């Protein structure tokens, strides 16, 4: 149905007037919407206090003199950890911790309102590895860890201290992306760098050194000192290790043909170690075997296997 011209102009004018009126409501006295004040503040280092240290005459003279064994300057995470460690190792020694701010904590400081406590920084502790006994002990002393499950042996935490993993997002080029790694509008070179970084992180998460320890583990003192990837990244520095590996390979028998003679099992000492054994044994011999079709060092095995020399149905020298 066609809309008459006069009716169209009337309705359009009314709509435009309503839009203009809505935009002016905030400026008309008595028509402003109710506003809720959100209390907050920006936190950071106290520059005004720090500047007093370099301004002569601004700091009042000391009122007393204290003599202590150790002074720790700074009450951040490192300073607090040092204070706790000193107290554990030498509780009889006196320690003084100095902090410029009204409260300790540094970047890990927290606050508290009428409803709950909250962190001033985004500092969350992932559930620790059960092998990290030092951290678990600290959490138990702090009341975060309340005990251990009798059936599984796993730590039991105060649920009021736990939270879900934060849902991290990234706003890039006007689009929200899940996670902190950019996905949209990333140049190929940057994408390659990100992939290489993620590969390195995954390698550190899974890899172990020659001593069987993880390459990355907290505390860092428990990390392995033998990183096999260093031989690929820095071949010159790993040259000595490579030469050591080459010299440790079994040598061909032909090099020692003038030093060895064939012997028989019956000529070896026949020692019975336990009364219930079926006969003499060599408990921990080094047994070298080769593939019958493909001989050589790289088709061989060297291991320790208990060998029976005689007794029962065993026939010597066969």
């Amino acid at each position: 149905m066609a809309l008459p011209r006069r009716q169209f102009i009337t309705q359009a004018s009314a709509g435009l007037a309503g839009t203009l009126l809505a935009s002016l409501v905030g400026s008309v006295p008595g028509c402003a919407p109710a506003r809720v004040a959100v209390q907050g503040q920006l936190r950071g280092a106290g520059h005004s206090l720090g500047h007093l240290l370099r301004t002569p005459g601004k700091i009042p003279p000391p009122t007393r003199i204290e003599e202590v064994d150790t002074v720790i300057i700074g009450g951040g995470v490192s300073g607090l950890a040092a204070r706790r460690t000193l107290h554990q190792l030498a509780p009889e020694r006196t320690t003084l911790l100095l902090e410029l701010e009204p409260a300790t904590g540094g970047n890990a400081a927290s606050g508290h309102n009428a409803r709950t406590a909250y962190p001033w920084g985004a500092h969350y502790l992932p559930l620790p590895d059960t092998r990290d006994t030092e951290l678990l002990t600290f959490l138990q002393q702090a009341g975060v860890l309340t005990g251990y499950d009798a059936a599984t042996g796993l730590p039991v935490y105060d649920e009021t201290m736990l939270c879900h993993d934060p849902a991290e997002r990234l706003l890039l080029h006007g689009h929200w992306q899940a996670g902190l790694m950019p996905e949209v509008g990333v140049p190929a070179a940057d994408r390659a760098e990100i992939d290489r970084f993620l590969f390195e992180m995954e390698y550190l998460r899974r890899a172990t050194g020659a001593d069987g320890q993880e390459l990355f583990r907290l505390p860092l003192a428990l990390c392995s000192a033998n990183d096999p990837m260093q031989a690929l990244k820095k071949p010159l520095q790993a040259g000595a290790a490579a030469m050591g590996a080459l010299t440790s390979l079994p040598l061909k028998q032909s090099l020692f043909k003038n030093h060895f003679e064939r012997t028989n099992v019956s000529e070896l000492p026949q020692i019975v170690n336990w009364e219930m054994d079926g006969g003499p044994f060599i408990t921990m011999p080094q047994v070298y075997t080769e593939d019958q079709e493909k001989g050589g060092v790289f088709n061989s095995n060297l291991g320790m296997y208990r060998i029976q020399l005689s007794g029962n149905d065993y026939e010597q020298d066969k």
Side-chain angles (χ1 to χ4, degrees):
M1 181 179 67
L3 187 66
R5 181 172 179 272
R6 182 181 297 275
Q7 185 178 356
F8 170 77
I9 295 176
T10 302
Q11 293 181 358
S13 300
L16 179 60
T19 302
L20 294 175
L21 180 61
S23 64
L24 295 174
V25 165
S27 61
V28 177
C31 295
R35 297 179 180 272
V36 178
V38 178
Q39 296 182 354
Q41 56 181 302
L42 297 177
R43 294 294 297 267
H47 301 294
S48 58
L49 293 176
H51 289 170
L52 294 178
L53 298 176
R54 64 180 186 180
T55 306
K58 291 292 185 179
I59 299 180
T63 58
R64 68 181 187 274
I65 297 177
E66 294 185 16
E67 185 174 341
V68 296
D69 296 316
T70 305
V71 175
I72 300 174
I73 301 177
V77 174
S78 298
L80 294 175
R83 173 66 180 85
R84 175 175 177 268
T85 302
L86 286 174
H87 179 70
Q88 290 177 328
L89 297 178
E92 72 283 356
R93 296 178 62 86
T94 56
T95 304
L96 177 64
L97 187 145
L98 302 178
E99 169 58 39
L100 183 65
E101 301 296 329
T104 59
N107 291 332
S110 60
H112 196 284
N113 56 25
R115 293 183 177 88
T116 182
Y118 51 85
W120 277 111
H123 297 276
Y124 298 92
L125 177 68
L127 291 181
D129 191 320
T130 54
R131 297 169 297 176
D132 194 349
T133 56
E134 185 174 352
L135 178 56
L136 293 174
T137 300
F138 168 74
L139 294 178
Q140 194 164 18
Q141 293 174 350
V144 178
L145 193 157
T146 59
Y148 291 86
D149 185 88
T152 63
L154 296 177
V156 178
Y157 296 96
D158 180 359
E159 293 189 0
T160 61
M161 301 288 184
L162 302 179
C163 64
H164 290 284
D165 288 337
E168 298 173 323
R169 297 190 300 168
L170 181 66
L171 179 61
L172 183 65
H173 304 305
H175 298 279
W176 283 105
Q177 304 176 36
L180 297 180
M181 290 298 175
E183 298 289 344
V184 179
V186 181
D190 293 349
R191 181 72 259 176
E193 287 291 319
I194 294 174
D195 291 341
R196 188 166 67 89
F197 169 77
L198 295 177
F199 173 81
E200 292 282 352
M201 295 302 100
E202 184 65 17
Y203 167 74
L204 289 175
R205 189 176 73 87
R206 295 176 177 270
T208 57
D211 53 4
Q213 299 294 330
E214 292 97 333
L215 293 186
F216 180 78
R217 179 179 169 187
L218 295 176
L220 295 179
L222 300 180
C223 293
S224 172
N226 304 309
D227 184 357
M229 286 294 289
Q230 293 301 318
L232 300 177
K233 296 178 179 179
K234 301 177 181 179
L236 296 179
Q237 296 183 9
M243 291 302 298
L246 290 176
T247 56
S248 65
L249 291 174
L251 299 177
K252 293 184 178 180
Q253 185 179 357
S254 59
L255 298 177
F256 301 96
K257 59 184 178 181
N258 297 327
H259 300 277
F260 291 94
E261 296 180 0
R262 184 180 181 85
T263 186
N264 295 319
V265 174
S266 59
E267 299 177 12
L268 299 176
Q270 306 291 305
I271 301 175
V272 179
N273 296 285
W274 292 277
E275 295 181 357
M276 301 300 294
D277 278 347
F281 280 84
I282 297 179
T283 302
M284 297 184 68
Q286 292 191 19
V287 181
Y288 177 79
T289 56
E290 284 187 0
D291 191 311
Q292 292 183 352
E293 298 179 357
K294 298 180 180 180
V297 172
F298 295 102
N299 297 289
S300 64
N301 178 70
L302 180 64
M304 292 185 178
Y305 309 96
R306 196 164 184 249
I307 296 179
Q308 185 173 358
L309 301 179
S310 63
N312 297 338
D313 298 330
Y314 181 82
E315 297 183 16
Q316 284 189 337
D317 303 333
K318 290 187 178 180

